[in-house]
Amino acid sequence: MKRRTFLAGTILAGATLMSTLLPAVGGIATASAASLTKVTFIQEWPVADGFWIPWILGKEKGFYAQEGIDLDIVAPPTVADTMKFLGTGRANVAFTTVMDIIFAKEQGAPVEAIGRYGNGNNWGIISQQGKTYTVADLKGKSVGIYNDAWTKAQLALMLKSAGLTLNDVQMVTAADDTVPLLLQKRVDVITGITNAEGTEMTTTGKQKPEFLPAIAHGVPNTPIFMLAGNQDWLKANPELAKAFMRATVKSMAYAVNHPDEGVQAFATAYSKAYDPVYIKQQWADTVPLLKPADSKSLAQEAATWQSLLTAIKAEGIVKDPLPADQYFTNQYLP
């Protein structure tokens, strides 16, 4: 899942982003740095985005340090490197996508999901304000897409619900952002998620986009983003993994309940190298997807995974998926 790169000209090529972030004034007192255990947390995107606000704020508030963790938030050199870092043990845990986990497992990488981020699949078809479409209406229309397997699979499943195929639409591939295609009227609709492309339509396009949800038209309701762990590290450090998840659940709940603090923590971490209007709106669009932010909301179900695996196998994305329960575990949740 690609999204708008809103830090113009800023590529943090594998740099450790948070090692110099100081605790906020009034933050919770924490143990000395020497007594903390470093946990390397690789992200899904080379440039910081609003999805990271819970752990940015949680680190600032001292929630990870309270659990004995020195959280090292790291950006990958490219979007393709997140699972490489996790699978090879260069990172202990990751913020990633459900499809990246599936593809990594297909390659034999020792990774598994340890918690979901969001309560469902918020991907779909986005159009300009006032221009609504049904799936059947898409026949003959131009659709801005990203050139990844899951985007095409979701679109194929949606079209199938109306008796259409990918050949019934004109797909226009975006290099890194579908939104300009729509705003410049180069396509009729685009694919995307509510808290990325949808957010950009609001902030850049100055309009409320129309949204046709994929889950209402044959696409599994599987959260797009996941927290994942290196299985070797998890087995060797079960208590540390549980501590990481306790701090993360606490951080997510606090960030959801204190959105302004979350946005401010992001601003503190990244100074002026970000789009404040976009981040504020993106977090506002993300918060409803995380509620209620508690341990139960991060728990995963085999049935949900199975629906996704069945769909992608039918589309030929994965030839021989593993049993659903081999992709995830809930044992580290508080």
Side-chain angles (χ1 to χ4, degrees), residues 32 35 39 43 63-64 104 135-136 187-188 200 234 256 294:
S32 66
S35 67
V39 173
Q43 304 300 295
F63 297 156
Y64 289 94
V135 176
V187 295
D188 298 302
E200 189 180 353
L234 293 170
V256 164
D294 55 22

Side-chain angles (χ1 to χ4, degrees), residues 38-109:
K38 181 179 176 180
V39 173
T40 302
F41 188 17
I42 189 75
Q43 304 300 295
E44 93 296 7
W45 199 244
V47 181
D49 61 40
F51 297 146
W52 306 2
I53 280 176
W55 29 97
I56 292 171
L57 181 57
K59 179 164 182 170
E60 182 184 86
K61 301 297 290 186
F63 297 156
Y64 289 94
Q66 281 184 314
E67 294 287 353
I69 292 173
D70 174 16
L71 189 67
D72 194 17
I73 302 173
V74 178
T78 73
V79 294
D81 289 313
T82 298
M83 285 293 100
K84 293 178 184 177
F85 273 61
L86 188 66
T88 59
R90 293 173 66 185
N92 309 126
V93 290
F95 177 56
T96 186
T97 71
V98 64
M99 287 306 303
D100 282 329
I101 294 171
I102 291 173
F103 289 142
K105 294 291 284 186
E106 189 176 31
Q107 297 298 316

Side-chain angles (χ1 to χ4, degrees), residues 34-321:
S35 67
L36 302 179
T37 300
K38 181 179 176 180
V39 173
T40 302
F41 188 17
I42 189 75
Q43 304 300 295
E44 93 296 7
W45 199 244
V47 181
D49 61 40
F51 297 146
W52 306 2
I53 280 176
W55 29 97
I56 292 171
L57 181 57
K59 179 164 182 170
E60 182 184 86
K61 301 297 290 186
F63 297 156
Y64 289 94
Q66 281 184 314
E67 294 287 353
I69 292 173
D70 174 16
L71 189 67
D72 194 17
I73 302 173
V74 178
T78 73
V79 294
D81 289 313
T82 298
M83 285 293 100
K84 293 178 184 177
F85 273 61
L86 188 66
T88 59
R90 293 173 66 185
N92 309 126
V93 290
F95 177 56
T96 186
T97 71
V98 64
M99 287 306 303
D100 282 329
I101 294 171
I102 291 173
F103 289 142
K105 294 291 284 186
E106 189 176 31
Q107 297 298 316
V111 303
E112 64 183 342
I114 55 176
R116 63 182 187 175
Y117 182 95
N119 50 34
N121 184 349
N122 62 318
W123 183 95
I125 299 295
I126 296 172
S127 54
Q128 295 206 39
Q129 183 174 341
K131 294 186 178 181
T132 59
Y133 293 87
T134 65
V135 176
D137 292 337
L138 297 178
K139 185 173 183 178
K141 298 295 190 296
S142 54
V143 183
I145 68 165
Y146 296 114
N147 191 28
D148 62 280
W150 182 225
T151 291
K152 292 179 180 177
Q154 291 188 103
L155 180 57
L157 289 170
M158 285 191 75
L159 294 171
K160 185 178 180 180
S161 71
L164 304 177
T165 70
L166 293 176
N167 292 328
D168 291 310
V169 299
Q170 179 189 353
M171 291 182 288
V172 179
T173 303
D176 59 9
D177 187 4
T178 58
V179 172
L181 294 176
L182 185 58
L183 294 179
Q184 296 165 15
K185 299 182 179 180
R186 294 164 58 190
V187 295
D188 298 302
V189 299
I190 59 173
T191 62
I193 56 177
T194 57
N195 55 340
E197 288 78 13
T199 298
E200 189 180 353
M201 287 293 292
T202 301
T203 57
T204 302
K206 307 300 182 183
Q207 59 181 282
K208 182 178 180 180
E210 306 293 344
F211 183 66
L212 186 63
I215 60 173
H217 302 281
V219 176
N221 191 22
T222 308
I224 294 169
F225 297 107
M226 295 280 178
L227 297 165
N230 176 285
Q231 289 176 300
D232 297 332
W233 180 83
L234 293 170
K235 291 176 182 177
N237 302 276
E239 295 308 313
L240 189 57
K242 291 177 182 178
F244 169 78
M245 291 306 291
R246 282 195 299 270
T248 300
V249 171
K250 186 174 183 179
S251 297
M252 289 177 69
Y254 192 90
V256 164
N257 292 323
H258 302 82
D260 291 340
E261 280 192 55
V263 173
Q264 183 55 52
F266 190 98
T268 300
Y270 301 106
S271 185
K272 297 180 180 180
Y274 78 109
D275 181 343
V277 175
Y278 180 86
I279 289 296
K280 183 175 182 178
Q281 185 63 50
Q282 185 182 40
W283 187 238
D285 292 339
T286 300
V287 164
L289 304 175
L290 301 180
K291 289 183 175 180
D294 55 22
S295 182
K296 185 177 179 180
S297 70
L298 272 71
Q300 303 169 79
E301 299 175 347
T304 303
W305 273 91
Q306 189 57 59
S307 66
L308 173 61
L309 294 168
T310 299
I312 61 176
K313 182 179 180 180
E315 293 300 319
I317 296 175
V318 176
K319 293 181 180 180
D320 190 20

